Amino acid sequence: MTRTTHQLWHFHGGLKLPGEKHQSTGTPIARTELPRQLVIPVHQHIGETGKVLVNIGDRVLKGQALTQPTAYVSAPVHAPTSGTVKDIAEYPAPHPSRLSTLCVVIEADGKDEWIQLESRADYKKMSPADLRNLVRHAGIVGLGGAAFPTSVKLNPGPGHQIKTLIINGAECEPYITCDDMLMRERADEVISGAEIISHALNTAHCLIAVENNKPEAIAALNTAISDAGVDYIDVVAIPTIYPTGGEKQLIKVLTNKEVPSDGLPADIGIVMQNVGTAAAIYRAVFHGQPLISRIVTVTGKGITQPQNMEVLIGTPMSALIEQACGYQENADRLIMGGPMMGFTMHCDSLPVTKGCNCLLVETADQHSDENNAMPCIRCGECARVCPVSLLPQQLYWHASSKNFDQVQDYNLFDCIECGCCAYVCPSHIPLVQYYRFAKTEIWNRERDQQKSDHARIRHDFRQARLDKEKREREERLRKKKDMLEKKKQAEAADKNETEEDPKKAAIAAALARVQDKKAKAADAPKNTDNLTAAQQKQVDEANKRRETE
Amino acid sequence: MRFKTASSPHTTPVSSVNVIMRKVLMAMIPGTAATAYFFGWGVLINICLACVVAISSETLMLYLRKRPMKPYLSDNSALLTACLLAMALPQLAPWWLTVIAVSSAIILGKHLYGGLGFNPFNPAMVGYVIVIISFPKEMTQWVPPAVAGYSQLGFLETLQVIFAGSIPAGMSWDSITMATPLDTMKTQLGLELSINDIHQHKVYGPMFSSVSGVGWEWINGLFLAGGLWLAYKRIIDWRIPAGLLGMLFLLSNSFALYDYSSFTPPTFQLFSGGIMLAAFFIATDPVTASTTIRGRWIFGAGIGFFIFVIRTWGSYPDGIAFAVLLMNMTAPLLDYYTMPRTFGHHWSEFPGHHKKEPEE
Ligand code: SF4
Ligand code: SF4
C-alpha cells in the first residue's frame, strides 16, 4: 500500500544543492571484471577488529569467512572470490588517517567458486536473535557510508519497542546514485530486506524515504510493494534538501521527533537502515550470501564515463576508474563519498571497502583553495544553514584558538560534519577541517587523560602497597628493637651499671638507627619482586633516567 | 595515480566577502544618486575623497601589520566604510574633516582592533562620532535641497568651498548652508512651536514636505528600495532593519498619538535623516551586529529605540551613530543569551533559560 500523502516536517537549515546525479544514472549497474588480486582490510567498520581465521597459503572459497567477530560491535569479512591467501599484513587502506591496516590479500583463481550456501527463505520461523546472528555472520554493515555493524542496530535492547522502521533511500549528497540505481533495478530486494528487518525488530510499520528527485526509484519501489503484497510499508517522497539523508534529520522530517543528542533512534522507537543494507540482508537470508560486494558510483567531472558498478570488496579503486574509461585530463581530486562529506584518497591503488558508496573524481576548478580564507565576518550564513542549529562561527572561533572547553560548550560533538557551513561561508574558511581537528584533539586528550588516570591509579595502588609493607616492616623492627632494648636493660640491670647511662642509651639508639637504615636498604629491592615484567621494565627505565640525570 | 588530499566539502564557493560588499555598494547607488541630486556636487566629492582616504589608510595599515595586500584590498570593505561615512558627512564639510573621519574609521575603528572581522564597533560610525564630537560646527554644514527655491553651488564652487574653505564671492555661509530638517524640527520644537506652526513657518516651512524634509523622502525611499533588494538577495538579514524600523515606528506612533503637536509622526521619523541607510546598510554590518536570529531582532529594535530617544530627548539632532555604537557593545552579550537550541538538546542547557530540575 502506498499512501500518497504523508505529513512531513522540516529540520533547520540545510541546502538545496545541484544534484549532479544524471551523469551516472544513464547506464544500468555494470559488473566489474574479476581482479587478479583483492586486498581485504580486516577492519572495515565501526567497532572491534575481528580475529583472522586463515593463514598465508590457504585456499579460500568465495564467501568464506576470513575473520571472526571478537566483540559485540564487530563484523567479519569474507573472501570475495575463490583463490589463495597471498599475504596477511599491513596495507594502506582508504581511511582519512592514511594509516595502514591489517589486510588479507587474496589471489583470485578465476573459478569464483562459492562456499556451500544455505537459503533461509523461511526466516519468519527464525527468532530475532537467530536472524541477528545470521546478519552478523554475513558481515553486514551499514552501506550508507558509516559502516556500523547492522546486527547491533537490529537489537534495540530490552525495553525498546520499535514502532517504526525507516529505510533510508534519501541519498542526499550530490553525484552519488548507487542507492538510486539499486532501488530502480532491485526494488524487490529492498522490499524483501525491509520485511526481514521488520520481522527481526517485530515492527508493524515501515517507511521508505526517498528524495523526490528520484521518481524512477519511487515508482519501482511502489511496484515491488504491490507485487509483494505487503501492506505495512509506505514509500515517502521527501523534499530534496541536503542533508536530509542524515539519520537524525530524516527522522525529524518523517516523524517530527528529535533523537536526543546523547541518544539513539531506538530510544524514541525508531530504527533506520539504508536501502543497500536492506538488500544485503535479503541476499544473506534468501541466498546465504555474505556481504562481499557493493554498488559503487564512479562519477565526477574527472571521470570519462560515469556509472554505477557492482564491485567486489577489496578491488583496487584504479580498476573501477579503468572500467569507467579512466580519468579526464584535469582530474585533480579522488574522493571516497560525495563532495560534501567524502574524504580524499592520496592514491587510487587502495581497495574498495564496505563503506565506499562513491568514487568521485573532481577537476581542479571544482574546489576552492583553502589557503585564501579570509577572516570570519560573522555574517551568520553558516548558522542559517546548519542542520543541527549550531553556531559554526563560534565553533570556529574557539576551535581555532584551541579553547577546547568552550568549543564543547557550543556542542561541537553534535556537529555531523555535513559541510553546509563551509559551503556557504563567504570567507571560504575550511570550517569542517577546524571541527575535525578540535574533535581529534579532544579525543586524544581524553585518551591521554584516561591513560594517565590509569597510570595514576596503578601508581597509587603500588604506593599504598609499599607504604603498607614499609609500615609493617617498621613495626617489626620496632618490636625487635624494643625487645633488644629490654634485653639490654635487663642485662645492664643485671650488671648494676649505673654510670653514663644516658650516653650509652644515645649510642644504642644511633646504632639502632643505622641498623634500621641498613635493613631498609637491604629490603628495598624485595619490594619489586612481585612486579610484572612490564612494570619491572618501567621501574628499570625510571631508575636509568634517574641515574642519567 | 596519486592525488592531493584535502578536507571536505570539496566544492566551489557560492559567495565571497568582496562580492557581498560589492553588492551592498551597488544597492547604495539609487539612494546616493538621489542624495547627489538634492544636495549637489558635495555628495560625490565627499565620496571620492573618502574612498581615496580609505584605500590609502587600509594600504598603510596592511603594510604596517604585514598583512597580504591583494585579498584585503580587494574585499571592498574599506570602500563600503568610506561610502557610508561620506553619506553621513555634510556636503560642504572641509576636506580635512573627511580625511580625519575616514582615516580614524579605518585605523582606529578597524585595524587597531585587528582588522576585518575583529572590530567590535562599526568603523564608519566610529569615524562619524569622532568628528561630530570634535568638530560640531563643521558638521552642520549641510546644504539646502535643490528644490524649494534654494540656490545651489556648482561643481567648481563646491570644490573651492571644500578644499580651500573659501565661499564664492557675494555669498555667505548662511546662504549656502542650512540645518537639516531634523535639526530644525528639533530646535523649533524646543522653542515651544507646534509641528503645525513649523510647517507653516515663513523661513523653515519650505524645507518640509508632507512626509518629511523635502528630498529626504526620496533619498530614504531609494535606500529602502536598495535595502529590500539586499534582503531579498539574502546579502543582509531582514530582521535587523525590520526590528529597527518596527521599533522606531512603534515608539514614534505611540508618542504622536499621545501628543501630535509636539511629537513628529512615524512617517517623518522613518523618512528623515539617514534612517533607511542606517537600517539596511549600517546596522546590518555583520561584523558588529548580533549573529543569532533572536539576537538580530533585539539588536535592530535596540538601535531603533536609541535613535528615537536621542532624536527626541538627546542633544544631537540624529542619534544613529550613537545608537549603533551602543548596540554594537551589546552584540556579544546578545549572541550569548540568544543561542539557538542545538538539535536534540533541551532548552534548559542554554544560557538565559531556566535550568531543568535534575531528574531522579
Ligand atoms: S559563514 Fe563564514 S564568515 Fe559567515 S559567520 Fe560563518 S564562518 Fe563567519
Ligand atoms: S558541518 Fe557541523 S557545524 Fe557545519 S553545518 Fe554541518 S553540522 Fe553544522
Side-chain angles (χ1 to χ4, degrees), chain A residues 33-41 44 66 77-81 92 94 103-106 291-294 296 311-320 348-356:
Chain A
E33 275 171 41
L34 186 65
R36 254 186 318 111
Q37 182 174 297
L38 297 118
V39 179
I40 302 108
Q44 299 188 22
L66 300 176
V77 293
H78 300 79
T81 186
C103 295
V104 177
V105 180
I106 295 176
L291 181 61
I292 52 166
S293 71
R294 67 156 300 143
V296 180
V311 180
L312 293 179
I313 305 299
T315 308
M317 293 174 176
S318 51
L320 278 60
D348 60 7
S349 57
L350 303 172
V352 167
T353 55
K354 294 176 183 177
C356 171

mmCIF file of all heavy atoms in Angstrom, chain A residues 33-41 44 66 77-81 92 94 103-106 291-294 296 311-320 348-356:
data_model
loop_
_atom_site.group_PDB
_atom_site.id
_atom_site.type_symbol
_atom_site.label_atom_id
_atom_site.label_comp_id
_atom_site.label_asym_id
_atom_site.label_seq_id
_atom_site.Cartn_x
_atom_site.Cartn_y
_atom_site.Cartn_z
ATOM 1 N N GLU A 33 35.016 -6.592 -13.814
ATOM 2 C CA GLU A 33 35.792 -7.799 -14.076
ATOM 3 C C GLU A 33 36.416 -8.284 -12.776
ATOM 4 O O GLU A 33 36.723 -7.487 -11.895
ATOM 5 C CB GLU A 33 36.912 -7.479 -15.065
ATOM 6 C CG GLU A 33 36.469 -7.560 -16.500
ATOM 7 C CD GLU A 33 37.556 -7.029 -17.412
ATOM 8 O OE1 GLU A 33 38.742 -7.336 -17.149
ATOM 9 O OE2 GLU A 33 37.224 -6.286 -18.343
ATOM 10 N N LEU A 34 36.620 -9.582 -12.702
ATOM 11 C CA LEU A 34 37.252 -10.151 -11.517
ATOM 12 C C LEU A 34 38.709 -9.707 -11.483
ATOM 13 O O LEU A 34 39.463 -9.984 -12.414
ATOM 14 C CB LEU A 34 37.162 -11.674 -11.596
ATOM 15 C CG LEU A 34 37.640 -12.445 -10.380
ATOM 16 C CD1 LEU A 34 36.753 -12.150 -9.177
ATOM 17 C CD2 LEU A 34 37.660 -13.930 -10.688
ATOM 18 N N PRO A 35 39.099 -8.969 -10.434
ATOM 19 C CA PRO A 35 40.507 -8.537 -10.394
ATOM 20 C C PRO A 35 41.410 -9.720 -10.070
ATOM 21 O O PRO A 35 40.959 -10.727 -9.503
ATOM 22 C CB PRO A 35 40.533 -7.507 -9.281
ATOM 23 C CG PRO A 35 39.311 -7.730 -8.479
ATOM 24 C CD PRO A 35 38.331 -8.514 -9.289
ATOM 25 N N ARG A 36 42.653 -9.592 -10.427
ATOM 26 C CA ARG A 36 43.605 -10.670 -10.177
ATOM 27 C C ARG A 36 43.852 -10.837 -8.682
ATOM 28 O O ARG A 36 43.992 -11.915 -8.155
ATOM 29 C CB ARG A 36 44.933 -10.370 -10.877
ATOM 30 C CG ARG A 36 45.181 -11.206 -12.102
ATOM 31 C CD ARG A 36 46.574 -10.968 -12.667
ATOM 32 N NE ARG A 36 46.945 -9.555 -12.663
ATOM 33 C CZ ARG A 36 47.882 -9.046 -11.868
ATOM 34 N NH1 ARG A 36 48.552 -9.818 -11.036
ATOM 35 N NH2 ARG A 36 48.158 -7.749 -11.903
ATOM 36 N N GLN A 37 43.880 -9.717 -8.039
ATOM 37 C CA GLN A 37 44.223 -9.747 -6.625
ATOM 38 C C GLN A 37 43.299 -8.819 -5.850
ATOM 39 O O GLN A 37 42.987 -7.728 -6.315
ATOM 40 C CB GLN A 37 45.680 -9.305 -6.464
ATOM 41 C CG GLN A 37 46.176 -9.345 -5.039
ATOM 42 C CD GLN A 37 47.662 -9.025 -4.983
ATOM 43 O OE1 GLN A 37 48.483 -9.751 -5.528
ATOM 44 N NE2 GLN A 37 47.997 -7.947 -4.321
ATOM 45 N N LEU A 38 42.846 -9.267 -4.676
ATOM 46 C CA LEU A 38 41.991 -8.435 -3.852
ATOM 47 C C LEU A 38 42.643 -8.220 -2.501
ATOM 48 O O LEU A 38 43.244 -9.131 -1.942
ATOM 49 C CB LEU A 38 40.626 -9.106 -3.658
ATOM 50 C CG LEU A 38 39.824 -9.314 -4.945
ATOM 51 C CD1 LEU A 38 39.590 -10.780 -5.184
ATOM 52 C CD2 LEU A 38 38.534 -8.539 -4.887
ATOM 53 N N VAL A 39 42.521 -7.019 -1.991
ATOM 54 C CA VAL A 39 43.095 -6.692 -0.678
ATOM 55 C C VAL A 39 41.927 -6.373 0.253
ATOM 56 O O VAL A 39 41.228 -5.387 0.053
ATOM 57 C CB VAL A 39 44.047 -5.490 -0.783
ATOM 58 C CG1 VAL A 39 44.608 -5.146 0.587
ATOM 59 C CG2 VAL A 39 45.172 -5.800 -1.765
ATOM 60 N N ILE A 40 41.698 -7.237 1.207
ATOM 61 C CA ILE A 40 40.528 -7.053 2.062
ATOM 62 C C ILE A 40 40.960 -6.598 3.453
ATOM 63 O O ILE A 40 41.500 -7.383 4.227
ATOM 64 C CB ILE A 40 39.701 -8.348 2.160
ATOM 65 C CG1 ILE A 40 39.278 -8.787 0.760
ATOM 66 C CG2 ILE A 40 38.469 -8.161 3.025
ATOM 67 C CD1 ILE A 40 40.002 -9.989 0.287
ATOM 68 N N PRO A 41 40.714 -5.326 3.757
ATOM 69 C CA PRO A 41 41.033 -4.865 5.109
ATOM 70 C C PRO A 41 40.191 -5.643 6.123
ATOM 71 O O PRO A 41 39.011 -5.874 5.915
ATOM 72 C CB PRO A 41 40.643 -3.389 5.102
ATOM 73 C CG PRO A 41 40.611 -3.000 3.662
ATOM 74 C CD PRO A 41 40.202 -4.240 2.926
ATOM 75 N N GLN A 44 36.751 -2.897 8.614
ATOM 76 C CA GLN A 44 36.106 -2.014 7.635
ATOM 77 C C GLN A 44 34.897 -1.312 8.217
ATOM 78 O O GLN A 44 34.048 -0.815 7.511
ATOM 79 C CB GLN A 44 35.617 -2.827 6.432
ATOM 80 C CG GLN A 44 36.708 -3.524 5.696
ATOM 81 C CD GLN A 44 36.179 -4.144 4.423
ATOM 82 O OE1 GLN A 44 35.151 -3.744 3.897
ATOM 83 N NE2 GLN A 44 36.866 -5.131 3.922
ATOM 84 N N LEU A 66 36.824 -14.767 6.530
ATOM 85 C CA LEU A 66 38.259 -14.573 6.731
ATOM 86 C C LEU A 66 38.555 -14.206 8.170
ATOM 87 O O LEU A 66 39.663 -14.367 8.656
ATOM 88 C CB LEU A 66 38.774 -13.463 5.807
ATOM 89 C CG LEU A 66 38.590 -13.690 4.313
ATOM 90 C CD1 LEU A 66 39.065 -12.460 3.541
ATOM 91 C CD2 LEU A 66 39.367 -14.920 3.854
ATOM 92 N N VAL A 77 34.783 -10.284 7.854
ATOM 93 C CA VAL A 77 34.911 -10.058 6.408
ATOM 94 C C VAL A 77 35.057 -11.425 5.739
ATOM 95 O O VAL A 77 35.461 -12.397 6.374
ATOM 96 C CB VAL A 77 36.111 -9.158 6.058
ATOM 97 C CG1 VAL A 77 35.877 -7.750 6.573
ATOM 98 C CG2 VAL A 77 37.411 -9.718 6.604
ATOM 99 N N HIS A 78 34.686 -11.477 4.466
ATOM 100 C CA HIS A 78 34.666 -12.742 3.741
ATOM 101 C C HIS A 78 35.477 -12.654 2.467
ATOM 102 O O HIS A 78 35.693 -11.558 1.935
ATOM 103 C CB HIS A 78 33.219 -13.127 3.396
ATOM 104 C CG HIS A 78 32.349 -13.280 4.603
ATOM 105 N ND1 HIS A 78 31.818 -12.199 5.260
ATOM 106 C CD2 HIS A 78 31.937 -14.379 5.285
ATOM 107 C CE1 HIS A 78 31.103 -12.625 6.288
ATOM 108 N NE2 HIS A 78 31.157 -13.945 6.336
ATOM 109 N N ALA A 79 35.849 -13.821 1.964
ATOM 110 C CA ALA A 79 36.594 -13.854 0.705
ATOM 111 C C ALA A 79 35.636 -13.489 -0.425
ATOM 112 O O ALA A 79 34.607 -14.137 -0.592
ATOM 113 C CB ALA A 79 37.174 -15.248 0.480
ATOM 114 N N PRO A 80 35.951 -12.465 -1.212
ATOM 115 C CA PRO A 80 35.041 -12.034 -2.274
ATOM 116 C C PRO A 80 35.057 -12.977 -3.478
ATOM 117 O O PRO A 80 34.172 -12.914 -4.313
ATOM 118 C CB PRO A 80 35.565 -10.656 -2.672
ATOM 119 C CG PRO A 80 36.587 -10.293 -1.639
ATOM 120 C CD PRO A 80 37.105 -11.561 -1.078
ATOM 121 N N THR A 81 36.069 -13.791 -3.551
ATOM 122 C CA THR A 81 36.115 -14.765 -4.642
ATOM 123 C C THR A 81 36.984 -15.930 -4.178
ATOM 124 O O THR A 81 37.605 -15.848 -3.112
ATOM 125 C CB THR A 81 36.684 -14.134 -5.933
ATOM 126 O OG1 THR A 81 36.583 -15.088 -6.991
ATOM 127 C CG2 THR A 81 38.147 -13.732 -5.764
ATOM 128 N N PRO A 92 48.055 -0.113 2.965
ATOM 129 C CA PRO A 92 47.318 1.162 3.038
ATOM 130 C C PRO A 92 45.830 0.904 2.779
ATOM 131 O O PRO A 92 45.487 0.117 1.906
ATOM 132 C CB PRO A 92 47.917 2.006 1.910
ATOM 133 C CG PRO A 92 49.107 1.277 1.425
ATOM 134 C CD PRO A 92 49.030 -0.137 1.886
ATOM 135 N N PRO A 94 41.713 2.761 2.665
ATOM 136 C CA PRO A 94 41.042 4.051 2.491
ATOM 137 C C PRO A 94 40.507 4.565 3.821
ATOM 138 O O PRO A 94 39.401 4.208 4.225
ATOM 139 C CB PRO A 94 39.911 3.752 1.509
ATOM 140 C CG PRO A 94 39.664 2.299 1.639
ATOM 141 C CD PRO A 94 40.938 1.665 2.079
ATOM 142 N N CYS A 103 45.425 -6.407 6.405
ATOM 143 C CA CYS A 103 44.617 -6.824 5.267
ATOM 144 C C CYS A 103 44.924 -8.274 4.923
ATOM 145 O O CYS A 103 46.023 -8.754 5.147
ATOM 146 C CB CYS A 103 44.933 -5.975 4.032
ATOM 147 S SG CYS A 103 44.477 -4.258 4.222
ATOM 148 N N VAL A 104 43.920 -8.942 4.364
ATOM 149 C CA VAL A 104 44.126 -10.281 3.823
ATOM 150 C C VAL A 104 44.174 -10.129 2.304
ATOM 151 O O VAL A 104 43.253 -9.568 1.712
ATOM 152 C CB VAL A 104 42.978 -11.230 4.220
ATOM 153 C CG1 VAL A 104 43.179 -12.602 3.582
ATOM 154 C CG2 VAL A 104 42.878 -11.344 5.730
ATOM 155 N N VAL A 105 45.263 -10.582 1.706
ATOM 156 C CA VAL A 105 45.402 -10.442 0.259
ATOM 157 C C VAL A 105 45.077 -11.785 -0.387
ATOM 158 O O VAL A 105 45.635 -12.815 -0.011
ATOM 159 C CB VAL A 105 46.833 -10.013 -0.115
ATOM 160 C CG1 VAL A 105 46.964 -9.859 -1.617
ATOM 161 C CG2 VAL A 105 47.186 -8.724 0.598
ATOM 162 N N ILE A 106 44.144 -11.759 -1.317
ATOM 163 C CA ILE A 106 43.741 -13.000 -1.980
ATOM 164 C C ILE A 106 44.049 -12.923 -3.460
ATOM 165 O O ILE A 106 43.698 -11.943 -4.129
ATOM 166 C CB ILE A 106 42.228 -13.259 -1.782
ATOM 167 C CG1 ILE A 106 41.957 -13.491 -0.293
ATOM 168 C CG2 ILE A 106 41.763 -14.447 -2.615
ATOM 169 C CD1 ILE A 106 40.509 -13.659 0.018
ATOM 170 N N LEU A 291 28.225 -10.437 2.800
ATOM 171 C CA LEU A 291 28.474 -9.167 2.104
ATOM 172 C C LEU A 291 29.875 -9.173 1.508
ATOM 173 O O LEU A 291 30.862 -8.932 2.202
ATOM 174 C CB LEU A 291 28.324 -8.006 3.095
ATOM 175 C CG LEU A 291 28.524 -6.618 2.504
ATOM 176 C CD1 LEU A 291 27.494 -6.348 1.426
ATOM 177 C CD2 LEU A 291 28.440 -5.562 3.570
ATOM 178 N N ILE A 292 29.959 -9.439 0.213
ATOM 179 C CA ILE A 292 31.279 -9.464 -0.430
ATOM 180 C C ILE A 292 31.348 -8.487 -1.595
ATOM 181 O O ILE A 292 32.371 -8.375 -2.258
ATOM 182 C CB ILE A 292 31.634 -10.875 -0.940
ATOM 183 C CG1 ILE A 292 30.498 -11.412 -1.796
ATOM 184 C CG2 ILE A 292 31.953 -11.793 0.224
ATOM 185 C CD1 ILE A 292 30.891 -12.626 -2.586
ATOM 186 N N SER A 293 30.246 -7.804 -1.859
ATOM 187 C CA SER A 293 30.291 -6.815 -2.934
ATOM 188 C C SER A 293 29.351 -5.680 -2.586
ATOM 189 O O SER A 293 28.537 -5.798 -1.670
ATOM 190 C CB SER A 293 29.867 -7.445 -4.257
ATOM 191 O OG SER A 293 28.471 -7.718 -4.236
ATOM 192 N N ARG A 294 29.493 -4.581 -3.283
ATOM 193 C CA ARG A 294 28.563 -3.483 -3.102
ATOM 194 C C ARG A 294 28.497 -2.671 -4.389
ATOM 195 O O ARG A 294 29.346 -2.830 -5.275
ATOM 196 C CB ARG A 294 28.962 -2.594 -1.937
ATOM 197 C CG ARG A 294 30.245 -1.805 -2.121
ATOM 198 C CD ARG A 294 30.214 -0.574 -1.233
ATOM 199 N NE ARG A 294 29.083 0.260 -1.579
ATOM 200 C CZ ARG A 294 28.342 0.940 -0.703
ATOM 201 N NH1 ARG A 294 28.623 0.901 0.567
ATOM 202 N NH2 ARG A 294 27.329 1.672 -1.110
ATOM 203 N N VAL A 296 28.985 0.704 -6.313
ATOM 204 C CA VAL A 296 29.776 1.930 -6.154
ATOM 205 C C VAL A 296 29.483 2.852 -7.329
ATOM 206 O O VAL A 296 29.471 2.412 -8.481
ATOM 207 C CB VAL A 296 31.295 1.611 -6.119
ATOM 208 C CG1 VAL A 296 32.103 2.890 -5.943
ATOM 209 C CG2 VAL A 296 31.617 0.612 -5.026
ATOM 210 N N VAL A 311 30.766 -4.012 -7.263
ATOM 211 C CA VAL A 311 32.203 -4.196 -7.092
ATOM 212 C C VAL A 311 32.469 -5.160 -5.943
ATOM 213 O O VAL A 311 31.843 -5.075 -4.892
ATOM 214 C CB VAL A 311 32.874 -2.839 -6.775
ATOM 215 C CG1 VAL A 311 34.369 -3.011 -6.601
ATOM 216 C CG2 VAL A 311 32.564 -1.824 -7.857
ATOM 217 N N LEU A 312 33.405 -6.082 -6.135
ATOM 218 C CA LEU A 312 33.815 -6.954 -5.037
ATOM 219 C C LEU A 312 34.616 -6.139 -4.031
ATOM 220 O O LEU A 312 35.482 -5.341 -4.418
ATOM 221 C CB LEU A 312 34.678 -8.103 -5.565
ATOM 222 C CG LEU A 312 33.972 -9.124 -6.458
ATOM 223 C CD1 LEU A 312 34.969 -10.184 -6.927
ATOM 224 C CD2 LEU A 312 32.802 -9.786 -5.737
ATOM 225 N N ILE A 313 34.320 -6.344 -2.761
ATOM 226 C CA ILE A 313 35.102 -5.677 -1.721
ATOM 227 C C ILE A 313 36.559 -6.098 -1.891
ATOM 228 O O ILE A 313 36.844 -7.282 -2.103
ATOM 229 C CB ILE A 313 34.616 -6.106 -0.310
ATOM 230 C CG1 ILE A 313 33.118 -5.861 -0.151
ATOM 231 C CG2 ILE A 313 35.428 -5.439 0.781
ATOM 232 C CD1 ILE A 313 32.682 -4.436 -0.279
ATOM 233 N N GLY A 314 37.460 -5.150 -1.825
ATOM 234 C CA GLY A 314 38.878 -5.473 -1.969
ATOM 235 C C GLY A 314 39.431 -5.179 -3.347
ATOM 236 O O GLY A 314 40.635 -5.239 -3.573
ATOM 237 N N THR A 315 38.542 -4.843 -4.293
ATOM 238 C CA THR A 315 39.008 -4.478 -5.632
ATOM 239 C C THR A 315 39.746 -3.144 -5.564
ATOM 240 O O THR A 315 39.281 -2.227 -4.900
ATOM 241 C CB THR A 315 37.794 -4.319 -6.581
ATOM 242 O OG1 THR A 315 36.989 -5.486 -6.491
ATOM 243 C CG2 THR A 315 38.233 -4.099 -8.018
ATOM 244 N N PRO A 316 40.886 -3.013 -6.237
ATOM 245 C CA PRO A 316 41.551 -1.707 -6.214
ATOM 246 C C PRO A 316 40.721 -0.653 -6.939
ATOM 247 O O PRO A 316 40.097 -0.940 -7.957
ATOM 248 C CB PRO A 316 42.882 -1.957 -6.928
ATOM 249 C CG PRO A 316 42.705 -3.229 -7.667
ATOM 250 C CD PRO A 316 41.656 -4.026 -6.963
ATOM 251 N N MET A 317 40.708 0.556 -6.362
ATOM 252 C CA MET A 317 39.925 1.632 -6.950
ATOM 253 C C MET A 317 40.319 1.896 -8.402
ATOM 254 O O MET A 317 39.483 2.225 -9.233
ATOM 255 C CB MET A 317 40.103 2.905 -6.124
ATOM 256 C CG MET A 317 39.487 2.787 -4.740
ATOM 257 S SD MET A 317 39.854 4.215 -3.726
ATOM 258 C CE MET A 317 38.902 3.808 -2.251
ATOM 259 N N SER A 318 41.611 1.725 -8.699
ATOM 260 C CA SER A 318 42.078 2.013 -10.059
ATOM 261 C C SER A 318 41.361 1.137 -11.088
ATOM 262 O O SER A 318 41.125 1.570 -12.219
ATOM 263 C CB SER A 318 43.589 1.808 -10.148
ATOM 264 O OG SER A 318 43.919 0.532 -9.629
ATOM 265 N N ALA A 319 40.969 -0.075 -10.664
ATOM 266 C CA ALA A 319 40.265 -0.958 -11.593
ATOM 267 C C ALA A 319 38.902 -0.375 -11.958
ATOM 268 O O ALA A 319 38.439 -0.483 -13.096
ATOM 269 C CB ALA A 319 40.103 -2.345 -10.976
ATOM 270 N N LEU A 320 38.259 0.266 -10.982
ATOM 271 C CA LEU A 320 36.951 0.875 -11.233
ATOM 272 C C LEU A 320 37.085 2.055 -12.190
ATOM 273 O O LEU A 320 36.285 2.236 -13.107
ATOM 274 C CB LEU A 320 36.337 1.377 -9.918
ATOM 275 C CG LEU A 320 35.613 0.377 -9.035
ATOM 276 C CD1 LEU A 320 36.513 -0.752 -8.591
ATOM 277 C CD2 LEU A 320 35.018 1.074 -7.831
ATOM 278 N N ASP A 348 45.063 5.885 -5.953
ATOM 279 C CA ASP A 348 43.905 5.099 -6.381
ATOM 280 C C ASP A 348 44.174 3.600 -6.336
ATOM 281 O O ASP A 348 43.426 2.813 -6.898
ATOM 282 C CB ASP A 348 43.452 5.526 -7.779
ATOM 283 C CG ASP A 348 44.553 5.344 -8.817
ATOM 284 O OD1 ASP A 348 45.604 4.767 -8.465
ATOM 285 O OD2 ASP A 348 44.359 5.782 -9.947
ATOM 286 N N SER A 349 45.241 3.206 -5.653
ATOM 287 C CA SER A 349 45.504 1.768 -5.575
ATOM 288 C C SER A 349 44.863 1.165 -4.326
ATOM 289 O O SER A 349 45.008 -0.021 -4.057
ATOM 290 C CB SER A 349 47.012 1.519 -5.561
ATOM 291 O OG SER A 349 47.581 2.213 -4.472
ATOM 292 N N LEU A 350 44.130 1.978 -3.564
ATOM 293 C CA LEU A 350 43.505 1.486 -2.340
ATOM 294 C C LEU A 350 42.311 0.594 -2.674
ATOM 295 O O LEU A 350 41.695 0.750 -3.726
ATOM 296 C CB LEU A 350 43.040 2.678 -1.500
ATOM 297 C CG LEU A 350 44.125 3.681 -1.139
ATOM 298 C CD1 LEU A 350 43.516 4.907 -0.494
ATOM 299 C CD2 LEU A 350 45.147 3.039 -0.226
ATOM 300 N N PRO A 351 41.998 -0.342 -1.778
ATOM 301 C CA PRO A 351 40.883 -1.237 -2.064
ATOM 302 C C PRO A 351 39.524 -0.606 -1.730
ATOM 303 O O PRO A 351 39.417 0.246 -0.852
ATOM 304 C CB PRO A 351 41.148 -2.423 -1.123
ATOM 305 C CG PRO A 351 41.893 -1.828 0.019
ATOM 306 C CD PRO A 351 42.698 -0.692 -0.532
ATOM 307 N N VAL A 352 38.502 -1.038 -2.441
ATOM 308 C CA VAL A 352 37.123 -0.650 -2.131
ATOM 309 C C VAL A 352 36.705 -1.378 -0.858
ATOM 310 O O VAL A 352 36.966 -2.567 -0.699
ATOM 311 C CB VAL A 352 36.196 -1.034 -3.299
ATOM 312 C CG1 VAL A 352 34.733 -0.950 -2.889
ATOM 313 C CG2 VAL A 352 36.474 -0.147 -4.497
ATOM 314 N N THR A 353 36.092 -0.643 0.063
ATOM 315 C CA THR A 353 35.628 -1.263 1.301
ATOM 316 C C THR A 353 34.097 -1.220 1.354
ATOM 317 O O THR A 353 33.454 -0.643 0.486
ATOM 318 C CB THR A 353 36.193 -0.519 2.522
ATOM 319 O OG1 THR A 353 35.846 0.854 2.401
ATOM 320 C CG2 THR A 353 37.692 -0.663 2.617
ATOM 321 N N LYS A 354 33.547 -1.808 2.418
ATOM 322 C CA LYS A 354 32.092 -1.900 2.511
ATOM 323 C C LYS A 354 31.428 -0.526 2.597
ATOM 324 O O LYS A 354 30.287 -0.348 2.202
ATOM 325 C CB LYS A 354 31.709 -2.718 3.743
ATOM 326 C CG LYS A 354 32.123 -4.174 3.640
ATOM 327 C CD LYS A 354 31.803 -4.931 4.925
ATOM 328 C CE LYS A 354 32.287 -6.377 4.840
ATOM 329 N NZ LYS A 354 32.049 -7.114 6.094
ATOM 330 N N GLY A 355 32.145 0.451 3.140
ATOM 331 C CA GLY A 355 31.549 1.775 3.317
ATOM 332 C C GLY A 355 31.726 2.685 2.116
ATOM 333 O O GLY A 355 31.311 3.839 2.139
ATOM 334 N N CYS A 356 32.307 2.177 1.050
ATOM 335 C CA CYS A 356 32.632 3.028 -0.105
ATOM 336 C C CYS A 356 31.456 3.084 -1.071
ATOM 337 O O CYS A 356 31.267 2.177 -1.872
ATOM 338 C CB CYS A 356 33.879 2.471 -0.796
ATOM 339 S SG CYS A 356 34.239 3.243 -2.359
#
